[in-house]
């Protein structure tokens, strides 16, 4: 799988697939999958390309999920090489936009499935690929829409392995078996604009909002649990005024976000927040946006198979964590599927000179192969 994995990673990185442009990545993957007997289906929604591929029609269905889109490279002169011209350097690092997030994982998945199908053409169950070009963007017309399509025709995903870069110090040291929910808000506190020399003729919305914001920051929303840290509240932006020092602003806009555990619900967070705002007597409006509910895959076949594969290939025992941002696993887990995330190191994701060790991608392909063996091997068909 070694040569395949590295060749495939470079082939994908060469395609400048900045969200939502797939740049032909999915067509290239589909050609490879069709050669293995996969039925491949393009599922575009508006400007987003999605690929659904499946080999077999029996249960269980193990799906490899990921995204071909990448974040913009920024000023390309800051890179040590053109970001979409991948190269393996003398130190063994593969450099290019998407090397870690997550074209390296897609390459490892494809190489592992090729090797597995070649060795076990009559494997048990089914293998699927769910690939989108809308993970780094709004995530409106990507994985969620594909999952809705599958549910409408009663296609059930049993196991899903998402290739997000989960590892911290070594490949496989962390498996993400869940993610926190994300709830954002835009709060507008209204006041009365006026001259700073005549504050009695104005009403400063910044002063009004400050005590309420302080209470929100100091509030304990929950204490977390064995799998999740306590829910966090973070203010990401405050804006008021026109930039002058002698005008009391008429409104104050605040952006904030909750990353929440399974110990609290979205509705509870909204209700408690608005109760605090009301208690402080604010004249306000608030717009809420739920980006994802928290999800958790407790110990089960997928977690155990993935842990065993990592141990077999690397000798290390992976840690189960739910930290980090959201992922497309949030669209798949609510269907009842077991979901884990396992990918390369996340040290350089979204950065200039994004890179991953070539040897790590080889290791990742071996781990994915091990997961396939543990979940879809049927001795009677091998």
């Amino acid at each position: 799988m070694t040569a395949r994995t590295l060749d495939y990673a470079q082939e994908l990185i060469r395609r400048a697939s900045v969200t939502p442009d797939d740049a032909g990545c999915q067509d290239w993957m589909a050609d490879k999958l069709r050669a293995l007997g996969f039925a491949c289906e393009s599922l575009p929604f508006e400007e987003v390309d999605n690929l659904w591929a499946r080999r077999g029609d029996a249960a269980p269905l193990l799906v490899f999920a990921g995204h071909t889109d990448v974040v913009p490279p920024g000023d390309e002169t800051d890179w040590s090489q053109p970001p979409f011209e991948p190269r393996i350097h003398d130190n063994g690092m593969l450099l290019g936009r998407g090397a870690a997030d997550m074209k390296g994982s897609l390459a490892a998945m494809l190489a592992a499935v090729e090797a597995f199908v070649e060795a076990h053409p009559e494997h048990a169950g089914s293998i699927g690929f769910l690939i989108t070009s809308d993970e780094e963007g709004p995530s409106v017309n990507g994985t969620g829409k594909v999952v809705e399509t599958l549910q409408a025709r009663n296609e059930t995903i049993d196991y899903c392995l998402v290739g997000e870069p989960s590892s911290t110090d070594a490949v496989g040291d962390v498996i993400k078996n869940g993610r926190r929910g994300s709830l954002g808000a835009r709060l507008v506190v209204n006041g009365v604009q006026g001259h700073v020399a005549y504050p009695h003729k104005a009403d400063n919305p910044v002063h009004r909002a400050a005590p309420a914001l302080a209470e929100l920051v100091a509030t304990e929303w929950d204490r977390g649990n064995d799998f999740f840290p306590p829910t966090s509240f973070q203010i990401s932006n405050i804006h008021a005024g026109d930039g002058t020092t002698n005008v009391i602003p008429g409104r104050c806009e605040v952006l904030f976000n909750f990353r929440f555990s399974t110990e609290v619900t979205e509705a509870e967070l909204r209700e408690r927040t608005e109760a605090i705002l009301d208690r402080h007597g604010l004249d306000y409006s608030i717009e809420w946006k739920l980006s994802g509910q928290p999800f958790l895959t407790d110990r089960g076949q997928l977690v155990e198979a993935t842990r065993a594969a990592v141990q077999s290939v690397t000798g290390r025992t992976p840690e189960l964590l739910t930290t980090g941002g959201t992922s497309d696993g949030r669209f798949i887990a609510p269907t009842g599927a077991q979901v884990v995330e396992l990918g390369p190191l996340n040290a350089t994701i979204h950065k200039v000179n994004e890179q991953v060790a070539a040897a790590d991608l080889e290791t990742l392909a071996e781990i994915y192969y091990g997961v396939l063996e543990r979940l879809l091997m049927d001795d009677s068909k091998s």
Side-chain angles (χ1 to χ4, degrees), residues 16-35:
S17 53
V18 175
T19 310
D21 186 7
D22 172 70
C25 291
Q26 292 174 25
D27 287 342
W28 179 84
M29 292 184 68
D31 287 342
K32 294 289 184 183
L33 292 170
R34 287 191 189 95

Side-chain angles (χ1 to χ4, degrees), residues 20-83:
D21 186 7
D22 172 70
C25 291
Q26 292 174 25
D27 287 342
W28 179 84
M29 292 184 68
D31 287 342
K32 294 289 184 183
L33 292 170
R34 287 191 189 95
L36 297 172
F38 279 78
C40 297
E41 183 179 2
S42 177
L43 293 172
F45 295 99
E46 296 187 15
E47 77 286 6
V48 175
D49 290 315
N50 302 289
L51 171 66
W52 171 245
R54 178 167 180 164
R55 187 182 198 273
D57 54 15
L61 170 58
L62 167 60
V63 170
F64 290 94
H67 58 92
T68 51
D69 62 315
V70 298
V71 296
D75 188 344
E76 297 190 12
T77 62
D78 292 334
W79 288 66
S80 62
Q81 68 183 55

Side-chain angles (χ1 to χ4, degrees), residues 107-276:
M109 291 172 175
L110 186 55
V113 169
E114 278 189 342
F116 180 76
V117 169
E118 289 167 2
H120 309 286
E122 299 297 322
H123 61 79
S126 305
I127 306 172
F129 276 78
L130 198 171
I131 311 297
T132 184
S133 66
D134 186 37
E135 196 276 342
E136 300 289 7
S139 298
V140 171
N141 293 309
T143 298
K145 289 288 181 67
V146 177
V147 168
E148 290 174 3
T149 300
L150 298 179
Q151 288 184 298
R153 58 197 194 194
N154 296 318
E155 285 196 74
T156 301
I157 298 173
D158 298 288
Y159 310 121
C160 182
L161 200 162
V162 185
E164 289 294 340
S166 63
S167 303
T168 302
D169 298 312
V171 173
D173 62 352
V174 171
I175 295 171
K176 298 291 179 70
N177 66 322
R179 292 279 189 161
R180 295 175 294 176
S182 177
L183 176 64
R186 175 179 176 269
L187 168 68
V188 175
V189 179
N190 299 306
V192 177
Q193 184 174 320
H195 196 294
V196 296
Y198 302 94
H200 57 288
K201 295 183 178 181
D203 185 4
N204 195 320
V206 179
H207 294 183
R208 292 275 190 185
L213 296 178
E215 183 174 345
L216 289 170
V217 170
T219 297
E220 180 182 78
W221 304 96
D222 60 54
R223 297 184 178 181
N225 54 37
D226 290 343
F227 292 99
F228 289 92
T231 292
S232 69
F233 170 88
Q234 290 293 318
I235 296 172
S236 57
N237 189 272
I238 299 178
H239 176 76
D242 58 6
T244 58
T245 62
N246 61 350
V247 177
I248 294 171
R251 52 186 273 162
C252 175
E253 180 178 303
V254 183
L255 304 181
F256 60 83
N257 180 270
F258 288 99
R259 292 301 165 106
F260 62 104
S261 75
T262 51
E263 293 295 305
V264 67
T265 68
E266 166 209 354
E268 289 171 339
L269 292 174
R270 293 187 186 200
E271 291 169 5
R272 291 174 63 185
T273 298
E274 292 177 11
I276 290 172

